[in-house]
Amino acid sequence: MTSQNPSTATRAGEPAVSVQSLGSGSSGNAFLIHAGGTSLLLDCGVGIRTVTRALRERDLRLDQLDAVLVTHEHSDHIRSLSYVIGKEIPIVSTAGTRRRANIPPPQWEQISPGRPLAFGAITVWAIMVSHDAAEPCGYLIDTGGARMSVFTDLGSWHERLVDPIRASDLIVLESNHDHDMLWRGPYPAHLKRRVASPVGHLSNADCASSLAAALRGASNQPEIWLAHLSETNNDPAVARRETVHALESEDIVLDVTPLPRRSLGPVWTSTVSRNAPAWRPAPVLSDPTQLALDALL
Ligand SMILES: [Zn+2]
Ligand SMILES: [Zn+2]
């Protein structure tokens, strides 16, 4: 698994899977994901020219996307969704996100926990997160080989995230703010409380400790991307150090990369192939809703 320039990653000798962040933070979020000829956009919160430029580097047009996945309706995740609406591209979200983001029903594909959707080579699972939006979720993306999980915009960790995190070869997890920088910083008190609340954004400390605990004893070597860093209340070096130290305390050494806020991030590529069965969520005993859904399947 390597990070490299997009032009070398996607043309001659195209890798089985490639993932790139097109921007990460309150100014806009999107990931471009390719696997086995299938192309997905996960969130559509960066400028449309950034999206089309990244697609063009891979000889693709916007209308060649196989689907757009949306995590929640906040503008930094859907800013350019209007350019997708009206095209023959499925827009995937939970029912609550569809309502708030005004996704037209004919174009909408509902996703809910325990009920995956498949687009070509890729199967996507929604995993609910705690955030001040209607029905926010993160995603596990299973290409049949490499897997990635994306959890940004969550105010608190939940046990249901452990299973997808441990199953992933690329983990994208929010590391939004340094606790002291937030509370000493310039935000008004109500905004500080909102960011730090259980439905706000994950701090560096919570990201680091939760990730280290989730990966305790794991045998794989995932790459870690830290996402949605605050420009005002964080420092990429501080965020990275906190996660690296927490992982080291569990004797885990992994590549940890804070994603750039306003520019393209590295390209992650993988040729991982798995003989194991497709990923399925393990029942979470403390989550009666998930248990009920699992029982229906
Ligand atoms: Zn956001
Ligand atoms: Zn949000």
Side-chain angles (χ1 to χ4, degrees), residues 101-166:
N102 290 319
I103 299 167
Q107 214 176 334
W108 176 54
E109 292 223 22
Q110 180 174 7
I111 194 159
S112 45
R115 297 185 182 278
L117 295 175
F119 299 95
I122 302 178
T123 303
V124 300
W125 297 79
I127 293 107
M128 305 314 290
V129 295
S130 172
H131 189 55
D132 55 358
E135 197 179 353
C137 69
Y139 287 98
L140 180 127
I141 312 289
D142 188 351
T143 69
R147 298 178 190 136
M148 69 176 291
S149 48
V150 179
F151 297 113
T152 72
D153 296 62
L154 63 163
S156 48
W157 182 258
H158 191 282
E159 193 187 340
R160 74 172 76 90
L161 308 186
V162 171
D163 197 32
I165 288 274
R166 284 179 74 91

Side-chain angles (χ1 to χ4, degrees), residues 1-81:
M1 274 158 268
T2 54
S3 298
Q4 52 186 280
N5 184 292
S7 58
T8 59
T10 55
R11 290 186 181 142
E14 183 171 329
V17 178
S18 76
V19 181
Q20 184 172 31
S21 164
L22 309 186
S24 184
S26 55
S27 46
N29 298 272
F31 293 92
L32 189 52
I33 301 162
H34 298 278
T38 302
S39 303
L40 305 182
L41 196 62
L42 193 162
D43 278 337
C44 197
V46 299
I48 193 62
R49 280 196 290 188
T50 301
V51 175
T52 52
R53 204 181 317 129
L55 286 166
R56 209 179 309 126
E57 289 208 32
R58 293 160 179 80
D59 297 324
L60 288 170
R61 299 186 314 272
L62 189 63
D63 59 9
Q64 291 176 305
L65 283 169
D66 292 283
V68 175
L69 316 181
V70 179
T71 58
H72 66 297
E73 70 274 19
H74 290 163
S75 63
D76 55 318
H77 298 261
I78 62 164
R79 183 170 293 121
S80 293
L81 198 62

Side-chain angles (χ1 to χ4, degrees), residues 176-188 191-197 201 203 230 232-234:
N176 176 258
H177 60 275
D178 174 82
H179 186 266
D180 289 345
M181 287 176 75
L182 173 68
W183 289 103
R184 290 183 192 146
Y187 278 14
L191 193 50
K192 291 178 181 179
R193 283 195 297 273
R194 185 240 153 192
V195 169
S197 81
H201 291 275
S203 69
S230 168
T232 307
N233 305 311
N234 210 349

